[in-house]
Amino acid sequence: MSSRDICLLLGATGVGKTLLLKRLQKLCLHGSSELGEPPSTLPTVGTNLSDLILKKKKVTLRELGGCMGPIWPSYFKDCYSVVFIVDSANTAQISSSCIQLLSVLSAEPLHGVSVLILFNKRDMPCIMSLVEIKSLFRMDDIIAAATQPITILEVSARTGQGLQEVLSWLESIIVK
């Protein structure tokens, strides 16, 4: 495996990175009919490495704990794509997530990588609409200024909503 086969999974603490990882693994193994109850998760300290097999190709997802934000850049040179997760039910965290995203997008080693931004927890009762979040994030400005191709999806790692689209995106950017 070359180090360039790694997709980084980034986002603030508590946005749902670990649950997303577990759900994607289960989807790859069993298909969407078998998701079941969400497993319990703990905040990640350090990193989690998980392999997914998509169209007979292995994709390695490296989840970096949200508390590791200051050292995320040391992992940037080793990846070909980034999945950045935002908790769309946590309005207090939106601005700090936006700042984190901007620092990720402006990092030199990531200038050419594909980026997937996931607005997670879309199953929660008190979420903002996608229009509101995009406005708060100034998403149009970010996309216009970014050097990377950016895709945005709404998901719920808890219910499985949108996870098939995440797998499709991962398949579409697998290094040939």
Short mmCIF file of all heavy atoms in Angstrom, two decimals, residues 7-12 15 17 20 81-88 94 97-106 113-122 130 133-134 137-156 161-163 165-166 169-170 173:
data_model
loop_
_atom_site.label_atom_id
_atom_site.label_comp_id
_atom_site.label_asym_id
_atom_site.label_seq_id
_atom_site.Cartn_x
_atom_site.Cartn_y
_atom_site.Cartn_z
N CYS A 7 -7.30 8.08 2.90
CA CYS A 7 -8.28 9.15 2.95
C CYS A 7 -8.35 9.60 4.41
O CYS A 7 -8.61 8.78 5.29
CB CYS A 7 -9.64 8.64 2.48
SG CYS A 7 -10.96 9.84 2.68
N LEU A 8 -8.10 10.88 4.65
CA LEU A 8 -8.16 11.39 6.02
C LEU A 8 -9.60 11.73 6.39
O LEU A 8 -10.33 12.31 5.61
CB LEU A 8 -7.31 12.66 6.17
CG LEU A 8 -5.80 12.49 6.17
CD1 LEU A 8 -5.12 13.85 6.33
CD2 LEU A 8 -5.34 11.53 7.26
N LEU A 9 -9.98 11.37 7.61
CA LEU A 9 -11.29 11.68 8.16
C LEU A 9 -11.08 12.71 9.26
O LEU A 9 -10.49 12.39 10.29
CB LEU A 9 -11.88 10.38 8.71
CG LEU A 9 -13.34 10.26 9.01
CD1 LEU A 9 -14.18 10.67 7.82
CD2 LEU A 9 -13.68 8.84 9.42
N LEU A 10 -11.50 13.95 9.01
CA LEU A 10 -11.22 15.05 9.91
C LEU A 10 -12.50 15.72 10.38
O LEU A 10 -13.53 15.64 9.71
CB LEU A 10 -10.35 16.11 9.21
CG LEU A 10 -9.04 15.64 8.59
CD1 LEU A 10 -8.39 16.78 7.81
CD2 LEU A 10 -8.10 15.11 9.65
N GLY A 11 -12.42 16.41 11.49
CA GLY A 11 -13.55 17.17 12.03
C GLY A 11 -13.36 17.36 13.52
O GLY A 11 -12.53 16.68 14.15
N ALA A 12 -14.09 18.28 14.09
CA ALA A 12 -13.98 18.59 15.51
C ALA A 12 -14.37 17.38 16.36
O ALA A 12 -14.96 16.41 15.87
CB ALA A 12 -14.87 19.78 15.86
N VAL A 15 -18.18 15.14 16.31
CA VAL A 15 -19.00 15.34 15.11
C VAL A 15 -19.51 14.03 14.52
O VAL A 15 -20.40 14.04 13.67
CB VAL A 15 -18.25 16.14 14.00
CG1 VAL A 15 -17.92 17.54 14.48
CG2 VAL A 15 -17.01 15.41 13.52
N LYS A 17 -17.20 11.15 13.65
CA LYS A 17 -16.23 10.50 12.76
C LYS A 17 -16.15 9.00 13.01
O LYS A 17 -16.18 8.21 12.07
CB LYS A 17 -14.83 11.12 12.93
CG LYS A 17 -14.74 12.58 12.51
CD LYS A 17 -13.34 13.16 12.69
CE LYS A 17 -12.84 13.20 14.11
NZ LYS A 17 -13.59 14.12 15.00
N LEU A 20 -19.29 7.20 11.90
CA LEU A 20 -19.31 7.15 10.43
C LEU A 20 -18.42 6.02 9.94
O LEU A 20 -18.81 5.23 9.08
CB LEU A 20 -18.85 8.49 9.85
CG LEU A 20 -18.82 8.50 8.32
CD1 LEU A 20 -20.19 8.89 7.76
CD2 LEU A 20 -17.76 9.43 7.79
N SER A 81 -7.14 12.13 -0.37
CA SER A 81 -8.47 12.71 -0.23
C SER A 81 -8.74 13.00 1.24
O SER A 81 -8.11 12.44 2.13
CB SER A 81 -9.55 11.79 -0.79
OG SER A 81 -9.55 10.56 -0.09
N VAL A 82 -9.73 13.89 1.45
CA VAL A 82 -10.10 14.29 2.81
C VAL A 82 -11.62 14.26 2.93
O VAL A 82 -12.33 14.76 2.05
CB VAL A 82 -9.61 15.72 3.13
CG1 VAL A 82 -10.19 16.22 4.46
CG2 VAL A 82 -8.09 15.79 3.17
N VAL A 83 -12.11 13.63 3.99
CA VAL A 83 -13.52 13.73 4.35
C VAL A 83 -13.56 14.59 5.61
O VAL A 83 -12.95 14.24 6.62
CB VAL A 83 -14.14 12.34 4.62
CG1 VAL A 83 -15.58 12.49 5.11
CG2 VAL A 83 -14.08 11.47 3.37
N PHE A 84 -14.24 15.74 5.52
CA PHE A 84 -14.32 16.67 6.64
C PHE A 84 -15.75 16.66 7.15
O PHE A 84 -16.68 16.91 6.40
CB PHE A 84 -13.92 18.08 6.20
CG PHE A 84 -13.77 19.03 7.35
CD1 PHE A 84 -12.55 19.17 8.00
CD2 PHE A 84 -14.84 19.79 7.80
CE1 PHE A 84 -12.40 20.03 9.08
CE2 PHE A 84 -14.71 20.65 8.87
CZ PHE A 84 -13.48 20.78 9.52
N ILE A 85 -15.92 16.35 8.43
CA ILE A 85 -17.26 16.18 8.99
C ILE A 85 -17.62 17.35 9.90
O ILE A 85 -16.81 17.79 10.71
CB ILE A 85 -17.36 14.85 9.78
CG1 ILE A 85 -16.93 13.70 8.87
CG2 ILE A 85 -18.77 14.63 10.30
CD1 ILE A 85 -16.95 12.36 9.54
N VAL A 86 -18.85 17.82 9.73
CA VAL A 86 -19.37 18.92 10.52
C VAL A 86 -20.63 18.42 11.23
O VAL A 86 -21.47 17.75 10.61
CB VAL A 86 -19.74 20.12 9.61
CG1 VAL A 86 -20.35 21.26 10.42
CG2 VAL A 86 -18.53 20.60 8.82
N ASP A 87 -20.76 18.73 12.51
CA ASP A 87 -21.97 18.39 13.26
C ASP A 87 -23.00 19.49 12.99
O ASP A 87 -22.90 20.58 13.51
CB ASP A 87 -21.63 18.32 14.75
CG ASP A 87 -22.84 18.02 15.64
OD1 ASP A 87 -24.00 18.12 15.14
OD2 ASP A 87 -22.63 17.71 16.82
N SER A 88 -23.99 19.18 12.15
CA SER A 88 -24.95 20.22 11.76
C SER A 88 -25.99 20.49 12.83
O SER A 88 -26.83 21.36 12.68
CB SER A 88 -25.61 19.87 10.42
OG SER A 88 -26.22 18.61 10.48
N ILE A 94 -20.10 25.43 14.74
CA ILE A 94 -20.03 25.70 13.30
C ILE A 94 -18.86 26.61 12.95
O ILE A 94 -18.10 26.32 12.03
CB ILE A 94 -21.36 26.30 12.77
CG1 ILE A 94 -22.49 25.27 12.87
CG2 ILE A 94 -21.21 26.81 11.36
CD1 ILE A 94 -22.57 24.24 11.81
N SER A 97 -15.54 24.88 13.28
CA SER A 97 -15.40 23.89 12.20
C SER A 97 -15.03 24.57 10.89
O SER A 97 -14.22 24.05 10.12
CB SER A 97 -16.70 23.10 12.01
OG SER A 97 -16.88 22.17 13.04
N CYS A 98 -15.62 25.73 10.65
CA CYS A 98 -15.33 26.48 9.43
C CYS A 98 -13.86 26.88 9.40
O CYS A 98 -13.18 26.74 8.38
CB CYS A 98 -16.23 27.70 9.34
SG CYS A 98 -16.05 28.58 7.79
N ILE A 99 -13.35 27.35 10.52
CA ILE A 99 -11.93 27.75 10.61
C ILE A 99 -11.03 26.54 10.38
O ILE A 99 -10.05 26.61 9.65
CB ILE A 99 -11.64 28.43 11.97
CG1 ILE A 99 -12.35 29.78 12.01
CG2 ILE A 99 -10.14 28.58 12.20
CD1 ILE A 99 -12.44 30.40 13.39
N GLN A 100 -11.39 25.40 10.98
CA GLN A 100 -10.61 24.16 10.77
C GLN A 100 -10.61 23.79 9.29
O GLN A 100 -9.57 23.44 8.74
CB GLN A 100 -11.21 23.01 11.57
CG GLN A 100 -10.83 22.97 13.02
CD GLN A 100 -11.41 21.75 13.72
OE1 GLN A 100 -12.57 21.39 13.51
NE2 GLN A 100 -10.61 21.11 14.55
N LEU A 101 -11.78 23.86 8.66
CA LEU A 101 -11.89 23.50 7.25
C LEU A 101 -11.00 24.41 6.40
O LEU A 101 -10.29 23.94 5.51
CB LEU A 101 -13.35 23.59 6.79
CG LEU A 101 -13.57 23.35 5.29
CD1 LEU A 101 -13.17 21.93 4.88
CD2 LEU A 101 -15.02 23.62 4.91
N LEU A 102 -11.04 25.70 6.68
CA LEU A 102 -10.23 26.64 5.90
C LEU A 102 -8.74 26.33 6.05
O LEU A 102 -7.99 26.41 5.07
CB LEU A 102 -10.51 28.08 6.33
CG LEU A 102 -11.88 28.62 5.89
CD1 LEU A 102 -12.17 29.96 6.56
CD2 LEU A 102 -11.96 28.74 4.38
N SER A 103 -8.31 25.96 7.25
CA SER A 103 -6.88 25.65 7.42
C SER A 103 -6.52 24.36 6.68
O SER A 103 -5.43 24.24 6.13
CB SER A 103 -6.50 25.58 8.90
OG SER A 103 -7.02 24.43 9.49
N VAL A 104 -7.45 23.40 6.63
CA VAL A 104 -7.22 22.16 5.88
C VAL A 104 -7.11 22.48 4.38
O VAL A 104 -6.18 22.04 3.70
CB VAL A 104 -8.35 21.14 6.15
CG1 VAL A 104 -8.32 20.00 5.15
CG2 VAL A 104 -8.25 20.60 7.58
N LEU A 105 -8.07 23.26 3.88
CA LEU A 105 -8.09 23.57 2.45
C LEU A 105 -6.89 24.40 2.01
O LEU A 105 -6.46 24.32 0.85
CB LEU A 105 -9.38 24.30 2.08
CG LEU A 105 -10.67 23.49 2.20
CD1 LEU A 105 -11.89 24.36 1.92
CD2 LEU A 105 -10.65 22.27 1.28
N SER A 106 -6.35 25.21 2.91
CA SER A 106 -5.23 26.07 2.53
C SER A 106 -3.87 25.39 2.70
O SER A 106 -2.85 25.95 2.32
CB SER A 106 -5.27 27.38 3.32
OG SER A 106 -5.12 27.11 4.69
N VAL A 113 -6.03 17.54 -3.61
CA VAL A 113 -6.79 16.35 -3.20
C VAL A 113 -8.30 16.59 -3.30
O VAL A 113 -8.76 17.73 -3.23
CB VAL A 113 -6.44 15.90 -1.76
CG1 VAL A 113 -4.94 15.68 -1.60
CG2 VAL A 113 -6.97 16.87 -0.73
N SER A 114 -9.05 15.52 -3.47
CA SER A 114 -10.51 15.61 -3.47
C SER A 114 -10.99 15.77 -2.03
O SER A 114 -10.48 15.11 -1.12
CB SER A 114 -11.13 14.35 -4.06
OG SER A 114 -10.74 14.22 -5.41
N VAL A 115 -12.00 16.65 -1.84
CA VAL A 115 -12.52 16.90 -0.50
C VAL A 115 -14.02 16.65 -0.47
O VAL A 115 -14.76 17.10 -1.34
CB VAL A 115 -12.23 18.37 -0.07
CG1 VAL A 115 -12.83 18.68 1.29
CG2 VAL A 115 -10.72 18.64 -0.05
N LEU A 116 -14.44 15.90 0.54
CA LEU A 116 -15.86 15.65 0.77
C LEU A 116 -16.21 16.29 2.11
O LEU A 116 -15.59 15.99 3.13
CB LEU A 116 -16.14 14.15 0.83
CG LEU A 116 -17.58 13.74 1.17
CD1 LEU A 116 -18.56 14.23 0.11
CD2 LEU A 116 -17.68 12.22 1.30
N ILE A 117 -17.17 17.21 2.10
CA ILE A 117 -17.63 17.83 3.33
C ILE A 117 -18.97 17.19 3.69
O ILE A 117 -19.90 17.20 2.87
CB ILE A 117 -17.78 19.35 3.18
CG1 ILE A 117 -16.42 19.97 2.82
CG2 ILE A 117 -18.33 19.97 4.47
CD1 ILE A 117 -16.48 21.42 2.42
N LEU A 118 -19.04 16.60 4.87
CA LEU A 118 -20.26 15.95 5.32
C LEU A 118 -20.91 16.77 6.43
O LEU A 118 -20.28 17.05 7.45
CB LEU A 118 -19.95 14.55 5.87
CG LEU A 118 -19.36 13.53 4.90
CD1 LEU A 118 -19.10 12.22 5.62
CD2 LEU A 118 -20.30 13.33 3.72
N PHE A 119 -22.15 17.15 6.21
CA PHE A 119 -22.93 17.76 7.27
C PHE A 119 -23.69 16.61 7.93
O PHE A 119 -24.66 16.09 7.39
CB PHE A 119 -23.86 18.84 6.71
CG PHE A 119 -23.10 20.05 6.24
CD1 PHE A 119 -23.01 20.36 4.91
CD2 PHE A 119 -22.43 20.86 7.15
CE1 PHE A 119 -22.29 21.46 4.47
CE2 PHE A 119 -21.71 21.97 6.73
CZ PHE A 119 -21.64 22.27 5.38
N ASN A 120 -23.18 16.18 9.09
CA ASN A 120 -23.66 14.99 9.78
C ASN A 120 -24.77 15.34 10.78
O ASN A 120 -25.03 16.50 11.06
CB ASN A 120 -22.48 14.33 10.51
CG ASN A 120 -22.83 12.95 11.06
OD1 ASN A 120 -23.76 12.29 10.60
ND2 ASN A 120 -22.08 12.51 12.04
N LYS A 121 -25.40 14.30 11.30
CA LYS A 121 -26.46 14.38 12.31
C LYS A 121 -27.71 15.04 11.75
O LYS A 121 -28.41 15.77 12.44
CB LYS A 121 -25.96 15.10 13.58
CG LYS A 121 -24.71 14.42 14.17
CD LYS A 121 -24.38 14.90 15.54
CE LYS A 121 -23.10 14.23 16.04
NZ LYS A 121 -22.73 14.66 17.38
N ARG A 122 -28.02 14.74 10.48
CA ARG A 122 -29.20 15.31 9.83
C ARG A 122 -30.49 14.70 10.38
O ARG A 122 -31.57 15.14 10.02
CB ARG A 122 -29.14 15.12 8.30
CG ARG A 122 -27.94 15.77 7.64
CD ARG A 122 -27.76 17.24 7.98
NE ARG A 122 -28.76 18.07 7.32
CZ ARG A 122 -29.01 19.34 7.65
NH1 ARG A 122 -28.35 19.91 8.63
NH2 ARG A 122 -29.93 20.03 7.01
N LEU A 130 -29.75 23.02 5.20
CA LEU A 130 -28.49 23.04 4.46
C LEU A 130 -28.19 24.45 3.97
O LEU A 130 -27.04 24.90 4.00
CB LEU A 130 -28.55 22.05 3.29
CG LEU A 130 -27.22 21.79 2.60
CD1 LEU A 130 -26.17 21.26 3.57
CD2 LEU A 130 -27.39 20.82 1.44
N ILE A 133 -26.72 26.41 6.91
CA ILE A 133 -25.35 26.00 7.23
C ILE A 133 -24.39 26.51 6.17
O ILE A 133 -23.33 27.04 6.48
CB ILE A 133 -25.23 24.47 7.33
CG1 ILE A 133 -26.05 23.94 8.49
CG2 ILE A 133 -23.78 24.06 7.51
CD1 ILE A 133 -26.04 22.44 8.60
N LYS A 134 -24.76 26.33 4.90
CA LYS A 134 -23.88 26.78 3.82
C LYS A 134 -23.66 28.29 3.92
O LYS A 134 -22.56 28.78 3.65
CB LYS A 134 -24.48 26.44 2.46
CG LYS A 134 -24.31 24.99 2.06
CD LYS A 134 -25.02 24.76 0.74
CE LYS A 134 -24.46 23.59 -0.01
NZ LYS A 134 -25.14 23.41 -1.30
N PHE A 137 -21.29 28.98 6.83
CA PHE A 137 -19.97 28.53 6.44
C PHE A 137 -19.38 29.36 5.30
O PHE A 137 -18.22 29.23 5.00
CB PHE A 137 -20.05 27.06 5.96
CG PHE A 137 -19.42 26.08 6.88
CD1 PHE A 137 -20.11 25.62 7.99
CD2 PHE A 137 -18.15 25.60 6.66
CE1 PHE A 137 -19.54 24.70 8.85
CE2 PHE A 137 -17.57 24.68 7.51
CZ PHE A 137 -18.27 24.23 8.62
N ARG A 138 -20.25 30.16 4.65
CA ARG A 138 -19.86 30.89 3.44
C ARG A 138 -19.31 29.89 2.41
O ARG A 138 -18.26 30.09 1.80
CB ARG A 138 -18.85 31.98 3.75
CG ARG A 138 -19.40 33.00 4.74
CD ARG A 138 -18.50 34.16 4.90
NE ARG A 138 -18.28 34.81 3.61
CZ ARG A 138 -18.34 36.10 3.40
NH1 ARG A 138 -18.64 36.90 4.40
NH2 ARG A 138 -18.11 36.61 2.22
N MET A 139 -20.06 28.80 2.25
CA MET A 139 -19.64 27.68 1.43
C MET A 139 -19.34 28.08 -0.01
O MET A 139 -18.37 27.60 -0.60
CB MET A 139 -20.76 26.62 1.46
CG MET A 139 -20.29 25.21 1.42
SD MET A 139 -19.35 24.76 2.87
CE MET A 139 -17.88 24.19 2.07
N ASP A 140 -20.17 28.97 -0.57
CA ASP A 140 -19.94 29.38 -1.96
C ASP A 140 -18.58 30.05 -2.10
O ASP A 140 -17.85 29.81 -3.07
CB ASP A 140 -21.05 30.33 -2.44
CG ASP A 140 -22.41 29.61 -2.53
OD1 ASP A 140 -22.41 28.36 -2.56
OD2 ASP A 140 -23.44 30.30 -2.56
N ASP A 141 -18.22 30.91 -1.13
CA ASP A 141 -16.91 31.58 -1.15
C ASP A 141 -15.78 30.57 -1.00
O ASP A 141 -14.75 30.65 -1.67
CB ASP A 141 -16.80 32.63 -0.03
CG ASP A 141 -17.79 33.77 -0.20
OD1 ASP A 141 -18.34 33.93 -1.31
OD2 ASP A 141 -18.03 34.50 0.78
N ILE A 142 -15.98 29.61 -0.09
CA ILE A 142 -14.95 28.59 0.16
C ILE A 142 -14.72 27.78 -1.11
O ILE A 142 -13.57 27.58 -1.53
CB ILE A 142 -15.35 27.67 1.33
CG1 ILE A 142 -15.25 28.45 2.65
CG2 ILE A 142 -14.49 26.41 1.37
CD1 ILE A 142 -15.75 27.67 3.87
N ILE A 143 -15.80 27.34 -1.75
CA ILE A 143 -15.68 26.53 -2.96
C ILE A 143 -15.02 27.34 -4.08
O ILE A 143 -14.16 26.84 -4.80
CB ILE A 143 -17.05 25.97 -3.38
CG1 ILE A 143 -17.48 24.90 -2.37
CG2 ILE A 143 -17.01 25.40 -4.80
CD1 ILE A 143 -18.90 24.41 -2.52
N ALA A 144 -15.39 28.62 -4.19
CA ALA A 144 -14.82 29.47 -5.24
C ALA A 144 -13.32 29.66 -5.04
O ALA A 144 -12.56 29.73 -6.01
CB ALA A 144 -15.53 30.81 -5.26
N ALA A 145 -12.87 29.74 -3.79
CA ALA A 145 -11.47 30.01 -3.50
C ALA A 145 -10.61 28.75 -3.43
O ALA A 145 -9.39 28.81 -3.54
CB ALA A 145 -11.34 30.77 -2.19
N ALA A 146 -11.23 27.60 -3.25
CA ALA A 146 -10.49 26.36 -3.04
C ALA A 146 -9.81 25.88 -4.31
O ALA A 146 -10.32 26.07 -5.41
CB ALA A 146 -11.43 25.27 -2.51
N THR A 147 -8.65 25.24 -4.13
CA THR A 147 -7.94 24.64 -5.27
C THR A 147 -8.39 23.18 -5.47
O THR A 147 -8.03 22.56 -6.45
CB THR A 147 -6.42 24.64 -5.01
OG1 THR A 147 -6.17 23.93 -3.79
CG2 THR A 147 -5.89 26.07 -4.88
N GLN A 148 -9.16 22.65 -4.53
CA GLN A 148 -9.59 21.25 -4.57
C GLN A 148 -11.01 21.14 -5.12
O GLN A 148 -11.81 22.05 -4.95
CB GLN A 148 -9.62 20.65 -3.16
CG GLN A 148 -8.34 20.71 -2.38
CD GLN A 148 -8.19 22.01 -1.58
OE1 GLN A 148 -8.81 23.02 -1.86
NE2 GLN A 148 -7.34 21.96 -0.58
N PRO A 149 -11.30 19.97 -5.73
CA PRO A 149 -12.71 19.67 -6.02
C PRO A 149 -13.41 19.35 -4.70
O PRO A 149 -12.91 18.53 -3.92
CB PRO A 149 -12.64 18.44 -6.92
CG PRO A 149 -11.29 17.84 -6.67
CD PRO A 149 -10.38 18.93 -6.19
N ILE A 150 -14.54 20.03 -4.43
CA ILE A 150 -15.25 19.85 -3.17
C ILE A 150 -16.65 19.30 -3.44
O ILE A 150 -17.36 19.81 -4.30
CB ILE A 150 -15.35 21.18 -2.39
CG1 ILE A 150 -13.95 21.65 -1.97
CG2 ILE A 150 -16.26 21.04 -1.17
CD1 ILE A 150 -13.93 22.99 -1.27
N THR A 151 -17.02 18.27 -2.69
CA THR A 151 -18.36 17.70 -2.75
C THR A 151 -18.98 17.88 -1.37
O THR A 151 -18.28 17.76 -0.37
CB THR A 151 -18.29 16.19 -3.09
OG1 THR A 151 -17.57 16.03 -4.31
CG2 THR A 151 -19.68 15.58 -3.24
N ILE A 152 -20.28 18.17 -1.34
CA ILE A 152 -20.97 18.34 -0.06
C ILE A 152 -22.12 17.34 -0.01
O ILE A 152 -22.89 17.21 -0.96
CB ILE A 152 -21.54 19.77 0.06
CG1 ILE A 152 -20.40 20.79 0.06
CG2 ILE A 152 -22.38 19.92 1.33
CD1 ILE A 152 -20.86 22.22 -0.07
N LEU A 153 -22.23 16.64 1.12
CA LEU A 153 -23.33 15.70 1.33
C LEU A 153 -23.93 15.91 2.72
O LEU A 153 -23.22 16.25 3.66
CB LEU A 153 -22.86 14.25 1.22
CG LEU A 153 -22.42 13.73 -0.14
CD1 LEU A 153 -21.83 12.33 0.01
CD2 LEU A 153 -23.58 13.72 -1.12
N GLU A 154 -25.23 15.66 2.82
CA GLU A 154 -25.89 15.62 4.13
C GLU A 154 -26.01 14.15 4.52
O GLU A 154 -26.45 13.34 3.71
CB GLU A 154 -27.30 16.21 4.02
CG GLU A 154 -27.34 17.69 3.74
CD GLU A 154 -28.79 18.17 3.69
OE1 GLU A 154 -29.39 18.08 2.61
OE2 GLU A 154 -29.29 18.62 4.73
N VAL A 155 -25.61 13.84 5.75
CA VAL A 155 -25.65 12.45 6.19
C VAL A 155 -26.13 12.35 7.64
O VAL A 155 -26.16 13.33 8.37
CB VAL A 155 -24.26 11.76 6.10
CG1 VAL A 155 -23.74 11.74 4.68
CG2 VAL A 155 -23.25 12.41 7.02
N SER A 156 -26.49 11.14 8.01
CA SER A 156 -26.68 10.80 9.41
C SER A 156 -25.97 9.47 9.63
O SER A 156 -26.45 8.43 9.16
CB SER A 156 -28.16 10.65 9.76
OG SER A 156 -28.27 10.02 11.02
N GLN A 161 -28.49 7.51 6.73
CA GLN A 161 -28.87 8.41 5.64
C GLN A 161 -27.63 8.98 4.96
O GLN A 161 -26.75 9.52 5.62
CB GLN A 161 -29.73 9.56 6.19
CG GLN A 161 -30.00 10.67 5.17
CD GLN A 161 -30.40 12.00 5.83
OE1 GLN A 161 -30.89 12.03 6.95
NE2 GLN A 161 -30.17 13.09 5.13
N GLY A 162 -27.53 8.83 3.64
CA GLY A 162 -26.45 9.43 2.87
C GLY A 162 -25.15 8.62 2.84
O GLY A 162 -24.22 8.99 2.14
N LEU A 163 -25.08 7.53 3.59
CA LEU A 163 -23.81 6.81 3.65
C LEU A 163 -23.47 6.09 2.35
O LEU A 163 -22.30 5.95 2.00
CB LEU A 163 -23.79 5.82 4.83
CG LEU A 163 -23.93 6.46 6.22
CD1 LEU A 163 -23.67 5.43 7.31
CD2 LEU A 163 -23.02 7.66 6.38
N GLU A 165 -24.00 7.30 -0.53
CA GLU A 165 -23.40 8.35 -1.35
C GLU A 165 -21.95 8.58 -0.96
O GLU A 165 -21.10 8.88 -1.80
CB GLU A 165 -24.19 9.66 -1.24
CG GLU A 165 -25.54 9.63 -1.93
CD GLU A 165 -26.67 9.12 -1.03
OE1 GLU A 165 -26.41 8.43 -0.01
OE2 GLU A 165 -27.83 9.41 -1.35
N VAL A 166 -21.65 8.45 0.34
CA VAL A 166 -20.26 8.58 0.79
C VAL A 166 -19.40 7.49 0.17
O VAL A 166 -18.31 7.74 -0.35
CB VAL A 166 -20.16 8.53 2.34
CG1 VAL A 166 -18.70 8.53 2.80
CG2 VAL A 166 -20.91 9.71 2.96
N TRP A 169 -18.82 8.22 -3.44
CA TRP A 169 -17.78 9.25 -3.60
C TRP A 169 -16.39 8.64 -3.43
O TRP A 169 -15.49 8.89 -4.23
CB TRP A 169 -18.01 10.38 -2.59
CG TRP A 169 -17.02 11.50 -2.73
CD1 TRP A 169 -17.07 12.56 -3.60
CD2 TRP A 169 -15.79 11.67 -1.99
NE1 TRP A 169 -15.97 13.37 -3.43
CE2 TRP A 169 -15.17 12.85 -2.45
CE3 TRP A 169 -15.17 10.94 -0.98
CZ2 TRP A 169 -13.96 13.32 -1.95
CZ3 TRP A 169 -13.97 11.40 -0.47
CH2 TRP A 169 -13.37 12.58 -0.95
N LEU A 170 -16.23 7.82 -2.39
CA LEU A 170 -14.93 7.17 -2.16
C LEU A 170 -14.54 6.31 -3.36
O LEU A 170 -13.39 6.34 -3.79
CB LEU A 170 -14.98 6.32 -0.89
CG LEU A 170 -14.94 7.08 0.43
CD1 LEU A 170 -15.31 6.17 1.60
CD2 LEU A 170 -13.59 7.74 0.66
N ILE A 173 -13.18 8.37 -6.34
CA ILE A 173 -11.88 9.03 -6.24
C ILE A 173 -10.74 8.08 -5.92
O ILE A 173 -9.61 8.52 -5.71
CB ILE A 173 -11.92 10.17 -5.20
CG1 ILE A 173 -12.40 9.66 -3.85
CG2 ILE A 173 -12.79 11.31 -5.64
CD1 ILE A 173 -11.43 9.88 -2.78
#
